[in-house]
Amino acid sequence: MITFKTVEYDESQNRLVILDQTKLPEEEVYLTLKTAEDVYHAITNMNLRGAPLIGVAAAYGVVLAAHRGNPVSAGKACDLIQSARPTAVNLFWALERMRNRMRQAKDLYKELLQEARMIEKDDKESCQKIGALGTDLIADGSKIMVHCNAGALATSGIGTALGIIYTAKQQGKDFVVYSNETRPLLQGARLTSWELCKNDVVIYTICDNMAATFMPEMSLVLVGADRIALNGDVANKIGTRGLAIIARYYHIPFYVAAPISTFDFALTCGKQIPIEERNPDEIRMFHGRNIVATSARICNPAFDVTPAELVTGIVTEKCIVTPPYEENIRRLQ
Ligand code: MRU
């Protein structure tokens, strides 16, 4: 079903080939990353993005640095890549796995490559399981609102929120998707429309400020996550909290889809989640044009936190977690 590869490690040349998401939907082009620094830049520039995919790419970034078997280079690669983006906990989770493996490794490169491949395999399997568990949420005739891109482009598999949609589609269910464009970087407009159209899913792209207008018609809202605290508070792309508030007003179920690697068991609530503040030019500029008065100040938080009380359930690879969140999230560990 998925005809593109978001990441592929080429062992013969020790290089990582990634689909350049900044060029979509106009061009499907691939970038070759040869060093951990390249991976760091690809993550910060968002050539690749989405919490699970960032984790997978980070692991391969460490492999690139470990090619000559030098643990110092591999350790430095972990430190550098870890600083690329602060919110998605999958990045830190994947690097922690790589560091643990590094400590015990006899053949550094071989073992780190094995670990990175395992992280990728786990990600693919989690997506499949999330899809299989979440498909029950979709009934024939559903209208589903999604935000940002939590699809195949955000993982190495079929995606999380969109993984559920692909599974429902495969089962022959009849439904339509409403995708918010997701300003400022338009992951919904550029990426979600691209991958859903490639897979013949009926999709309407709407502006973010149309969400309240269309919400009363929706059967459910389905989003991804970048980090989930113990109490069930969910950090995801900016705008998610607004959707959850609107959904609650209209009594529309609001579901999050995320692998267990997205849970941060060390954080008791969402207030502790670091929120990335990105370059103001992402808002100031549009298609190379300055669209904001030059002396206006700009706020550009990339994520927000949706309080657990607005979340109907969280679809993981193990089960659909429902309240009481703290008790049920602890059981995932
Ligand atoms: O800034 P991005 O594009 O990396 O943000 C991505 C999201 O917010 C996704 O919803 C989240 O990472 C889940 S992807 C399965």
Side-chain angles (χ1 to χ4, degrees):
M1 199 168 191
I2 305 299
T3 56
F4 52 88
K5 278 198 171 153
T6 49
V7 274
E8 186 165 31
Y9 178 68
D10 171 0
E11 196 175 347
S12 66
Q13 301 196 50
N14 188 39
R15 58 182 202 167
L16 189 65
V17 180
I18 65 156
L19 174 55
D20 184 355
Q21 300 192 23
T22 63
K23 298 287 191 295
L24 292 172
E26 295 101 332
E27 288 177 83
E28 185 176 336
V29 289
Y30 290 80
L31 282 176
T32 299
L33 311 180
K34 295 184 177 152
T35 62
E37 287 74 18
D38 289 347
V39 173
Y40 165 83
H41 290 299
I43 296 173
T44 53
N45 298 337
M46 294 179 63
N47 301 101
L48 63 86
R49 31 65 52 203
L53 184 61
I54 292 172
V56 173
Y60 283 117
V62 180
V63 172
L64 296 178
H67 192 236
R68 295 209 167 85
N70 183 345
V72 178
S73 309
K76 280 189 182 155
C78 286
D79 295 344
L80 174 70
I81 297 170
Q82 183 167 311
S83 66
R85 295 187 73 187
T87 305
V89 77
N90 307 61
L91 172 65
F92 305 91
W93 168 88
L95 290 172
E96 198 46 39
R97 272 180 70 162
M98 297 303 278
R99 282 197 183 95
N100 286 340
R101 192 65 189 259
M102 215 182 292
R103 280 182 207 113
Q104 302 149 17
K106 298 207 169 65
D107 183 336
L108 189 76
Y109 170 70
K110 198 173 134 208
E111 291 185 42
L112 288 183
L113 176 55
Q114 208 174 53
E115 191 66 28
R117 290 218 193 278
M118 225 135 69
I119 289 171
E120 183 181 346
K121 184 167 168 279
D122 290 349
D123 176 44
K124 285 191 168 71
E125 287 175 2
S126 297
C127 290
Q128 291 292 341
K129 289 179 186 160
I130 288 170
L133 277 170
T135 184
D136 287 347
L137 301 174
I138 300 180
D140 257 336
S142 290
K143 291 184 175 181
I144 306 154
M145 187 175 284
V146 298
H147 192 60
C148 191
N149 174 268
L153 285 169
T155 67
S156 60
I158 61 168
T160 58
L162 299 193
I164 294 174
I165 280 164
Y166 292 134
T167 309
K169 168 93 183 160
Q170 257 176 348
Q171 293 172 344
K173 291 186 185 176
D174 181 32
F175 58 87
V176 296
V177 173
Y178 285 68
S179 162
N180 297 307
E181 60 178 354
T182 320
R183 277 280 286 153
L185 295 183
L186 303 173
Q187 290 93 330
R190 295 187 303 105
L191 308 179
T192 295
S193 72
W194 184 78
E195 64 164 279
L196 289 186
C197 286
K198 254 181 172 307
N199 285 289
D200 297 323
V201 174
V202 181
I203 170 173
Y204 293 91
T205 297
I206 60 171
C207 297
D208 297 328
N209 48 12
M210 296 174 188
T213 298
F214 287 98
M215 189 63 80
E217 297 173 29
M218 295 298 125
S219 319
L220 89 144
V221 179
L222 195 50
V223 298
D226 285 81
R227 200 186 285 230
I228 302 171
L230 255 188
N231 70 342
D233 288 350
V234 174
N236 190 49
K237 178 54 56 194
I238 190 78
T240 303
R241 188 197 317 180
L243 290 183
I245 294 168
I246 301 167
R248 175 56 56 91
Y249 182 83
Y250 289 110
H251 310 290
I252 309 299
F254 181 94
Y255 280 92
V256 175
I260 295 169
S261 54
T262 300
F263 287 78
D264 189 337
F265 299 97
L267 302 188
T268 54
C269 71
K271 281 206 180 83
Q272 298 161 354
I273 298 176
I275 299 296
E276 177 182 13
E277 183 73 30
R278 290 188 60 87
N279 191 329
D281 283 350
E282 291 178 353
I283 289 176
R284 195 178 288 289
M285 309 294 292
F286 196 78
H287 275 285
R289 266 191 66 201
N290 191 342
I291 57 161
V292 182
T294 33
S295 53
R297 298 175 191 187
I298 283 177
C299 306
N300 189 15
F303 302 95
D304 60 25
V305 175
T306 299
E309 63 181 296
L310 298 180
V311 178
T312 313
I314 307 173
V315 187
T316 72
E317 63 271 43
K318 261 196 189 166
C319 59
I320 301 184
V321 186
T322 50
Y325 280 119
E326 177 152 359
E327 196 182 316
N328 292 336
I329 288 174
R330 278 191 196 281
R331 289 210 187 101
L332 296 173
Q333 263 175 309

